[in-house]
């Protein structure tokens, strides 16, 4: 039976450079169009980690070269990344659809804003490093000039850190839903969406933050009333005791089991933990909903119950 599916593409689906991205999206397109060919309605969200960093560094270099350009806000860098990642994904999806004789499915990317709470505690404790590495002296100068928090990143140098608040509302969810229901393949919520805060007169102001793309994809799936959330990552299944002698790959988890494993520290923060937490949140959001965590190339088999880790009540 066909499903409405939101897919969260991980970094391995996009590569780390422009040439890598151009090659990676062709592989990504084949796996996604497999699901469409099976009759599913698919909406695609994606990360932007390397890409937004590249843009941020480039715009910072431009400002140094020409101070009149001014500083480019992180929210604008996020918008730029959504556009150029969407450009490559659109073309790859369109080509793959046409190659299979699917000629009636337009493909589009939506620059997506995601509302966050200005009082989210994450703003008091920035945890996400962005931008280039700096020496201690460069970091002090940068912090004095910009007012942005900097700290040492795993002994590799100093970097700017930004908050990672929870998403509260997908601003363009209505447009995404209408396009998907009208037969479009929609690409949206790039990099977790552009974080924005409501100000006076309904103005949306970009926030200096990044939103976890798995949590944004989960919220999108809820707002679209999806049947399934698929979080694609670098492993075929979720494991406990990962990379230890007693490693155990999991075919399925209930939300209660997932929370127990998380409390034991089985899932790495910033890696598998947010994926599992997002999957649990979606599975509990409405009876009958389920989430799947697996490899890109295993998505079709995962939907068929042949592999991956399924989280359901």
């Amino acid at each position: 039976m066909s499903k409405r599916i939101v897919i969260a593409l991980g970094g391995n689906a996009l590569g780390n450079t422009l040439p890598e991205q151009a090659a990676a999206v062709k592989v990504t397109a084949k796996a996604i169009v497999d699901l469409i060919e099976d009759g599913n309605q698919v909406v695609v969200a994606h990360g932007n980690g390397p890409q937004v960093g590249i843009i941020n560094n480039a715009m910072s270099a431009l400002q140094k070269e020409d101070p009149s350009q001014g500083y480019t806000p992180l929210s604008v860098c996020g918008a730029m990344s959504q556009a150029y990642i969407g450009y490559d994904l659109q073309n790859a999806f369109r080509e793959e659809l046409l190659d299979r004789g699917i000629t009636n499915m337009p493909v589009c990317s939506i620059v997506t804003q995601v509302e966050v709470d200005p009082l989210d505690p994450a703003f008091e404790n920035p945890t996400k490093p962005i931008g280039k590495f700096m020496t201690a002296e460069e970091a002090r100068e940068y912090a004095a000039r910009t007012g942005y928090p900097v700290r040492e990143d795993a002994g590799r140098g100093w970097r700017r850190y930004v908050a990672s608040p929870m998403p509260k509302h997908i601003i363009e969810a209505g447009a995404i839903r209408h396009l998907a229901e009208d037969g479009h393949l929609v690409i949206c919520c790039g990099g977790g969406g552009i974080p924005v805060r409501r100000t006076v007169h309904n103005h949306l102001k970009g926030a200096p933050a990044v939103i976890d793309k798995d949590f944004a994809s989960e919220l999108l799936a809820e707002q679209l009333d999806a049947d399934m959330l698929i979080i694609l990552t670098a492993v075929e299944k979720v494991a406990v005791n990962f990379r230890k002698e007693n490693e155990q790959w999991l075919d399925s988890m209930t939300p209660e089991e997932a929370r127990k494993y998380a409390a034991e520290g089985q899932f790495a923060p910033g890696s598998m933990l947010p994926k599992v937490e997002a999957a649990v949140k979606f599975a509990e959001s409405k009876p009958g909903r389920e989430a799947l965590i697996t490899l890109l190339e295993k998505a079709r088999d995962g939907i068929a119950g042949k592999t991956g880790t399924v989280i359901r009540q």
Side-chain angles (χ1 to χ4, degrees):
M1 187 171 66
S2 64
K3 301 175 183 289
R4 176 178 290 175
I5 301 170
V6 169
I7 296 177
L9 295 178
N12 59 322
L14 297 173
N16 293 301
T17 65
L18 284 172
E20 282 184 15
Q21 179 171 297
V25 294
K26 293 182 180 296
V27 178
T28 299
K30 292 182 185 299
I32 301 303
V33 176
D34 280 346
L35 308 186
I36 294 169
E37 208 167 37
D38 290 340
N40 297 294
Q41 183 187 101
V42 173
V43 174
V44 177
H46 60 83
N48 73 342
Q51 294 86 356
V52 76
I54 291 168
I55 293 169
N56 184 69
N57 289 345
M59 300 310 290
S60 295
L62 174 63
Q63 184 192 20
K64 277 190 173 181
E65 183 179 314
D66 181 3
S68 69
Q69 291 292 332
Y71 172 72
T72 303
L74 185 58
S75 56
V76 175
C77 295
M80 291 179 180
S81 76
Q82 287 189 5
Y84 97 72
I85 294 169
Y87 164 64
D88 274 350
L89 283 172
Q90 277 180 218
N91 284 330
F93 287 147
R94 179 180 177 277
E95 183 177 340
E96 186 65 25
L97 287 164
L98 293 175
D99 284 349
R100 300 196 197 188
I102 303 173
T103 60
N104 60 344
M105 179 169 284
V107 185
C108 63
S109 298
I110 294 185
V111 175
T112 314
Q113 302 171 97
V114 177
E115 185 176 1
V116 298
D117 184 349
L119 300 179
D120 191 306
F123 286 108
E124 300 300 319
N125 181 34
T127 58
K128 296 288 187 181
I130 66 162
K132 68 175 185 177
F133 289 96
M134 297 176 279
T135 64
E137 183 178 345
E138 287 172 333
R140 282 193 294 271
E141 186 277 329
Y142 177 83
R145 175 167 50 85
T146 64
Y148 296 134
V150 296
R151 68 179 72 147
E152 197 170 14
D153 182 2
R156 297 176 295 177
W158 292 72
R159 299 176 80 186
R160 176 187 173 189
Y161 274 69
V162 298
S164 184
M166 290 295 290
K168 307 301 291 183
H169 179 68
I170 312 292
I171 300 296
E172 287 78 21
I176 295 165
R177 177 195 279 269
H178 286 307
L179 287 166
E181 290 178 347
D182 197 40
H184 292 65
L185 172 53
V186 183
I187 302 157
C188 58
C189 287
I194 303 163
V196 294
R197 297 174 288 199
R198 290 186 188 271
T199 62
V200 295
H201 306 304
N202 294 313
H203 178 66
L204 297 173
K205 181 177 177 59
V210 293
I211 300 170
D212 185 282
K213 72 104 173 44
D214 296 315
F215 286 122
S217 299
E218 188 283 327
L219 179 60
L220 175 68
E222 282 195 45
Q223 288 191 234
L224 297 183
D225 194 23
D227 303 299
M228 177 177 275
L229 169 67
I230 300 180
I231 298 176
L232 300 176
T233 186
V235 292
E236 188 168 340
K237 296 181 181 182
V238 179
V240 293
N241 304 312
F242 186 54
R243 291 181 176 171
K244 298 178 181 177
E245 288 185 3
N246 57 342
E247 180 180 73
Q248 178 187 355
W249 297 99
L250 304 173
D251 296 326
S252 64
M253 287 188 289
T254 64
E256 293 75 18
E257 289 170 335
R259 276 191 283 268
K260 173 178 173 292
Y261 291 138
E264 294 172 356
Q266 293 284 358
F267 310 128
S271 178
M272 187 56 74
L273 181 60
K275 300 181 193 320
V276 171
E277 290 177 336
V280 166
K281 189 172 185 297
F282 183 70
E284 291 186 319
S285 63
K286 185 177 178 180
R289 288 178 174 170
E290 60 184 17
L292 170 70
I293 301 175
T294 193
L295 284 167
L296 170 69
E297 57 267 31
K298 296 290 185 178
R300 192 181 217 171
D301 286 342
I303 292 175
K306 297 177 182 179
T307 192
T309 302
V310 176
I311 296 88
R312 62 167 70 94
Q313 297 214 63

